[in-house]
Amino acid sequence: MTPWSFVSPASRGIGFALARRILQTTKAPLVATARKDLASTRIKLLEGLDVDDNRLTMLELDVLDETSIANAAAACKEKFATPSQQLQLAFVVPGILYPEKSPAQINADDALLTFRTNTVGPMLIIKHFSPFLAKKRSELGGSEESQGLPPISTMAVMSARVGSISDNRLGGWYSYRASKAAVNQLVKTFDNHLKTASGDRAISIGLHPGTVRTEFSKEFWGGVKKEKLFEKEWVAERLVEVVRNVGVQGRGKCWDWDGKEVLP
C-alpha cells in the first residue's frame, strides 16, 4: 500500500499548520489545496522544512465551487492511478463564522454562506474524494511511506464544540453552531457508509481544535483564558496524534485536541 494525504484548505490557519506537520512527520505524498496564490502558498508551506518538495502537490479548490472540487479530485485520480495508492489521511477544514449574539442579528445570506462553507463544502469534498479511501480488500499499512500516518484510512472533518447540542449552555452563534452540528451528522452518516464500503479499513471522524490563535478567532481572543488559547502548530501536532490513535472504536464521533469525545 502506498498512502497519500490531503489537506483542504491549507493556505492559512489550522490547515496550513496541519499540512506542514504532515510534511515534517511523514514521508508520504501530500495534496494541499488553496483557492488562489498556489505558488506562494507552496513556498510558505515548504519554508524552513528539510523535506523532499516533490512530495507536495498544490491544487486549486474552492469549497463553494463544486466544479473546482471535482477538478481537484480528477487531478488526484490521475496522479494516484493505481489501487494501492490510497488516501490514508484527509483533513477537511474550511470554516467561516458570523457570531450572531441574538436572533435579530441573523442574516439569511450570511447564514447560507456559513452552511455552504462549513457543511456543504465538506459534504462535496466527501462526495468527490471518498473513492480514494481504503476499501474492504485494501492492503494495510506497513510501507515506509505509511510511517506517521493513521493505520486506518481516515477522513477528518473540522467540527467545533459549539456544534454540540448537549453542551450548548450559552446560546448565540446561531448559524455557526447549526452548521457544525450538521457537520457532526455528516461525519456520522458518512461513517455509516464507510462501514459498508470499507469495513474497518476506513473511518470518518469530526475534530474540535479548541480556540486557536489564528485570524479566524482573533476577535474572540480576549474572552479566552491564556492557557486555553492555543498556537496553531501545537494544535496541528495534537490533532494529527488524535487521528493516529482514535481507532475504529472512535469512528463516527467528534474528538477534541486532547483525544476526548465531544458528545453530540
Side-chain angles (χ1 to χ4, degrees):
M1 185 266 286
T2 306
W4 56 283
S5 297
F6 175 78
V7 178
S8 181
S11 52
R12 60 180 181 174
I14 296 175
F16 179 86
L18 284 168
R20 281 177 61 87
R21 182 68 184 173
I22 291 169
L23 286 169
Q24 288 174 293
T25 59
T26 78
K27 295 184 178 180
L30 169 66
V31 174
T33 79
R35 288 188 298 115
K36 58 183 180 180
D37 301 330
L38 270 66
S40 62
T41 299
R42 177 184 174 83
I43 292 171
K44 291 174 184 176
L45 284 171
L46 292 168
E47 187 176 3
L49 300 185
D50 183 18
V51 300
D52 179 1
D53 58 8
N54 289 321
R55 288 173 49 209
L56 177 61
T57 298
M58 292 297 308
L59 293 178
E60 182 178 340
L61 190 153
D62 182 349
V63 295
L64 301 180
D65 179 3
E66 185 174 1
T67 298
S68 79
I69 299 173
N71 289 342
C76 290
K77 185 176 181 179
E78 183 175 345
K79 183 174 182 63
F80 305 107
T82 66
S84 65
Q85 292 176 301
Q86 69 186 33
L87 177 54
Q88 194 68 11
L89 174 60
F91 283 107
V92 184
V93 298
I96 192 171
L97 168 61
Y98 293 98
E100 311 100 337
K101 295 180 180 179
S102 73
Q105 293 181 319
I106 297 172
N107 176 280
D109 289 338
D110 292 345
L112 286 171
L113 181 59
T114 299
F115 271 87
R116 288 187 65 202
T117 304
N118 297 355
T119 312
V120 179
M123 194 182 303
L124 292 173
I125 289 177
I126 286 173
K127 172 184 175 180
H128 290 281
F129 281 81
S130 60
F132 299 121
L133 296 173
K135 306 297 189 295
K136 283 183 177 179
R137 296 184 179 180
S138 296
E139 300 175 35
L140 291 172
S143 65
E144 184 179 8
E145 291 88 351
S146 300
Q147 294 177 11
L149 294 173
I152 304 168
S153 184
T154 304
M155 180 80 76
V157 184
M158 197 62 69
S159 183
R161 192 178 301 279
V162 296
S164 167
I165 295 172
S166 62
D167 190 66
N168 185 355
R169 298 176 181 86
L170 298 176
W173 295 21
Y174 290 83
S175 56
Y176 187 74
R177 283 186 184 274
S179 71
K180 291 301 187 178
V183 164
N184 293 339
Q185 184 69 278
L186 169 64
V187 164
K188 178 63 176 179
T189 301
F190 178 49
D191 189 70
N192 285 338
H193 164 78
L194 289 175
K195 287 179 182 178
T196 300
S198 304
D200 290 345
R201 292 286 196 268
I203 63 173
S204 174
I205 61 172
L207 292 173
H208 166 60
T211 303
V212 186
R213 195 187 295 273
T214 64
E215 287 299 315
F216 179 83
S217 64
K218 191 171 184 177
E219 68 175 283
F220 313 113
W221 292 354
V224 180
K225 294 180 180 178
K226 186 178 180 180
E227 65 272 17
K228 292 293 185 180
L229 183 59
F230 306 135
E231 298 298 331
K232 60 182 183 291
E233 293 81 7
W234 183 84
V235 168
E237 178 182 347
R238 292 298 308 135
L239 293 181
V240 169
E241 195 65 19
V242 168
V243 172
R244 287 181 60 193
N245 291 296
V246 69
V248 71
Q249 269 71 36
R251 67 185 311 160
K253 301 175 182 178
C254 181
W255 299 92
D256 74 5
W257 52 269
D258 200 27
K260 297 176 182 176
E261 183 183 358
V262 178
L263 297 175

